[in-house]
Amino acid sequence: MHSFTEENYLKAIYKLQETNGEVVATSALAQVMEVHAPSVTDMLKRMAGKKLVTYQKSKGVKLTERGRQVAVGIIRNHRLWEVFLVDKLGYKWDEVHDLAEQLEHIHTEDLTNKLDKFLGFPKADPHGDPIPDANGVLPKSKAVLLSTLKVGEEGMFTGVTDHTPAFLNYLDKAGISLGNNIKVKAIEEFDQTYTLQIKSNKEIIISNKVANGILVN
Amino acid sequence: MHSFTEENYLKAIYKLQETNGEVVATSALAQVMEVHAPSVTDMLKRMAGKKLVTYQKSKGVKLTERGRQVAVGIIRNHRLWEVFLVDKLGYKWDEVHDLAEQLEHIHTEDLTNKLDKFLGFPKADPHGDPIPDANGVLPKSKAVLLSTLKVGEEGMFTGVTDHTPAFLNYLDKAGISLGNNIKVKAIEEFDQTYTLQIKSNKEIIISNKVANGILVN
DNA sequence: AAATTAAATTAGATTAGCCTAATTTTACTT
DNA sequence: AAGTAAAATTAGGCTAATCTAATTTAATTT
């Protein structure tokens, strides 16, 4: 139906629209897709021809409704495959991204829905990212960065903003796992470090960088 | 590593070598790959450059050892994914081929082996085709065509030579399933039809065409 | 062995997706 | 408002994988 490349552009545009606002710049896309700007311009023209995006020369791109549907479908598929890889095949959460990047492009509606059922209709992937439902609806999360909590406040660790293996590994080593309750015991003004209490027992100190990678509810 | 296209050529060459002898002709490949002959010539040159095949102008192709390893790896992966689709996701045996054609190209050694383990190290795919082991060894089958049996002889239904959905559906409808014991009760000389006894109870009549699609052991 | 037919190759194009270099458009300063 | 910097586009090329038309090589028939 659509090439892997087109699907990757759609996904990238979708994510940029989510985080950086409605209209996406050529340069931003070029950076995310790791190609040079003229390649993006080329591709956007082709995709506009297929009604996947609306593109105005030098004015950036937006997804059409159809483009959004495809993008969300890919994301749904990606996250379901991640659950499969972790829950069924025994991969660790920091190992699945690249494989899921490939598997996500193998999707018929039927396959995705059967996989969803097989996995028990999971609501989030191994990193806590919500899985869109079969209609392309993505539940709005009201999770906030751990770094926005004040001393004494607490929340449940429900997701990460940093998906790099390095960060995920750090969390493993620090003993911070999805679902844990995290309470901010202290914030050191001097160097912006946080003292946390995890699961009402152990206490640890993390940097601001780490606190910015953790989402709590 | 290798493109999907290269992998498909390797698989096609492998299968043609198995059935039609050591050396594969350009025209045979063109037919299987559903492309025109000059495309094959082109591709063979590229693949010879990568040491995946040995190719002599106008003399046909053979796989190199490396080419064979890759081809068998793809077949292993294809068959494991078919088992997954049928056993885990609930697909029927006539529905999985096209999906597995895509999934087969997503393969790291690790993924394939984890999938193998998850599926319980199956020895055959849903059509009875043997699954190569992790070292690329494919068990030699001594199955024979049902059409070669004489009256009174019997065997266990262990595979098909015709993988089309139409044929597989016919077998479903006729109540002939993998693993069934099949005994030839009679062969009608006039029109080459076979009267079979399935699982020591029901008796059915099949055509020669069907008898040529069934492998027994 | 010559002639014919069939198979394979070469030559020259096409498309998707990418590139670099040059140019144009937009945005930002002063 | 003019000048500069940054962003985007056009122009022209490249590669993988395909095509058609023309040619060459191999196989088969007389």
Side-chain angles (χ1 to χ4, degrees):
Chain A
M1 202 58 162
H2 308 106
S3 69
F4 283 24
T5 307
E6 278 172 345
E7 292 185 351
N8 285 331
Y9 271 91
L10 288 173
K11 207 175 34 147
I13 296 167
Y14 177 87
K15 289 186 175 175
L16 286 167
Q17 280 193 291
E18 289 295 290
T19 53
N20 296 18
E22 179 122 33
V23 174
V24 174
T26 301
S27 53
L29 253 178
Q31 203 194 330
V32 171
M33 294 298 297
E34 297 183 281
V35 297
H36 290 224
S39 311
V40 173
T41 303
D42 256 32
M43 192 62 184
L44 293 182
K45 283 180 189 167
R46 277 193 294 272
M47 287 171 65
K50 296 184 182 179
K51 303 276 155 80
L52 293 168
V53 298
T54 55
Y55 165 67
Q56 283 187 10
K57 182 169 153 157
S58 294
K59 295 265 159 62
V61 255
K62 286 191 242 184
L63 293 179
T64 59
E65 180 50 29
R66 226 167 76 59
R68 203 200 70 91
Q69 284 289 337
V70 175
V72 174
I74 305 289
I75 290 168
R76 169 167 156 80
N77 214 37
H78 179 103
R79 293 181 181 170
L80 286 171
W81 280 116
E82 284 200 345
V83 173
F84 169 72
L85 292 172
V86 169
D87 286 7
K88 304 295 182 182
L89 297 196
Y91 277 96
K92 296 200 266 105
W93 71 338
D94 59 310
E95 298 173 327
V96 295
H97 189 266
D98 292 353
L99 273 176
E101 284 284 293
Q102 300 199 240
L103 288 165
E104 71 188 4
H105 301 295
I106 291 163
H107 57 101
T108 61
E109 215 180 305
D110 191 44
L111 173 62
T112 304
N113 292 337
K114 282 192 160 77
L115 183 61
D116 193 18
K117 184 180 174 189
F118 173 62
L119 298 172
F121 304 106
K123 288 182 299 301
D125 78 12
H127 314 104
D129 295 309
I131 297 175
D133 70 20
N135 300 313
V137 177
L138 233 160
K140 275 267 180 326
S141 146
K142 33 191 194 341
V144 296
L145 288 180
L146 175 57
S147 57
T148 64
L149 296 195
K150 297 190 174 51
V151 173
E153 293 184 329
E154 60 190 301
M156 201 217 277
F157 174 24
T158 57
V160 295
T161 57
D162 181 347
H163 293 75
T164 60
F167 180 66
L168 299 174
N169 264 319
Y170 167 85
L171 293 181
D172 282 342
K173 217 172 46 180
I176 308 176
S177 308
L178 228 51
N180 286 172
N181 192 276
I182 299 179
K183 182 170 189 174
V184 178
K185 300 293 281 185
I187 299 174
E188 174 55 58
E189 283 301 320
F190 173 65
D191 59 0
Q192 290 290 313
T193 53
Y194 292 71
T195 303
L196 309 178
Q197 186 171 48
I198 311 284
K199 285 208 298 179
S200 67
N201 44 40
K202 74 179 132 171
E203 256 187 30
I204 58 168
I205 294 173
I206 61 164
S207 70
N208 183 261
K209 187 174 174 185
V210 170
N212 272 313
I214 292 176
L215 288 165
V216 292
N217 253 337
Chain B
M1 201 56 162
H2 308 105
S3 70
F4 283 25
T5 306
E6 277 171 347
E7 292 185 351
N8 286 331
Y9 271 91
L10 288 173
K11 206 174 35 145
I13 296 167
Y14 178 86
K15 289 186 175 174
L16 287 167
Q17 279 192 292
E18 290 295 290
T19 54
N20 297 19
E22 179 124 32
V23 174
V24 174
T26 302
S27 54
L29 253 178
Q31 204 194 329
V32 171
M33 292 299 295
E34 297 183 281
V35 298
H36 291 226
S39 311
V40 173
T41 302
D42 256 33
M43 192 62 185
L44 293 181
K45 284 181 190 166
R46 277 193 294 271
M47 286 171 65
K50 296 183 181 178
K51 302 275 156 80
L52 293 168
V53 298
T54 55
Y55 165 66
Q56 284 188 10
K57 179 167 155 163
S58 294
K59 295 264 160 61
V61 255
K62 286 191 241 186
L63 293 180
T64 59
E65 181 49 30
R66 225 167 76 59
R68 203 199 71 91
Q69 284 289 338
V70 175
V72 174
I74 304 290
I75 289 168
R76 169 166 156 80
N77 215 38
H78 179 103
R79 293 181 181 169
L80 286 172
W81 280 116
E82 284 200 346
V83 173
F84 170 71
L85 292 171
V86 169
D87 286 8
K88 303 297 182 182
L89 296 197
Y91 276 96
K92 295 200 268 106
W93 70 339
D94 59 308
E95 299 173 326
V96 295
H97 189 266
D98 292 354
L99 273 175
E101 285 285 292
Q102 300 198 241
L103 287 165
E104 71 188 4
H105 301 295
I106 290 161
H107 56 102
T108 62
E109 215 181 304
D110 190 45
L111 173 62
T112 305
N113 292 337
K114 282 194 159 76
L115 183 61
D116 194 18
K117 184 179 176 189
F118 173 61
L119 297 171
F121 304 107
K123 286 181 299 303
D125 77 12
H127 313 105
D129 295 309
I131 297 175
D133 71 19
N135 300 313
V137 177
L138 232 159
K140 273 267 181 322
S141 148
K142 33 191 195 337
V144 296
L145 288 181
L146 176 56
S147 56
T148 64
L149 295 195
K150 298 193 174 48
V151 173
E153 293 183 330
E154 60 189 304
M156 202 217 276
F157 175 25
T158 57
V160 294
T161 57
D162 180 348
H163 292 75
T164 61
F167 180 66
L168 299 174
N169 264 318
Y170 167 84
L171 293 180
D172 282 341
K173 217 171 47 179
I176 308 175
S177 308
L178 229 52
N180 286 172
N181 192 274
I182 299 179
K183 182 171 189 176
V184 178
K185 299 294 281 184
I187 301 173
E188 174 54 58
E189 283 301 321
F190 174 65
D191 60 358
Q192 289 289 313
T193 53
Y194 292 70
T195 303
L196 308 178
Q197 187 173 46
I198 311 283
K199 282 209 298 179
S200 67
N201 43 42
K202 72 179 134 171
E203 255 185 30
I204 59 167
I205 294 173
I206 62 163
S207 69
N208 183 261
K209 187 175 174 187
V210 171
N212 272 313
I214 291 176
L215 287 165
V216 291
N217 252 337

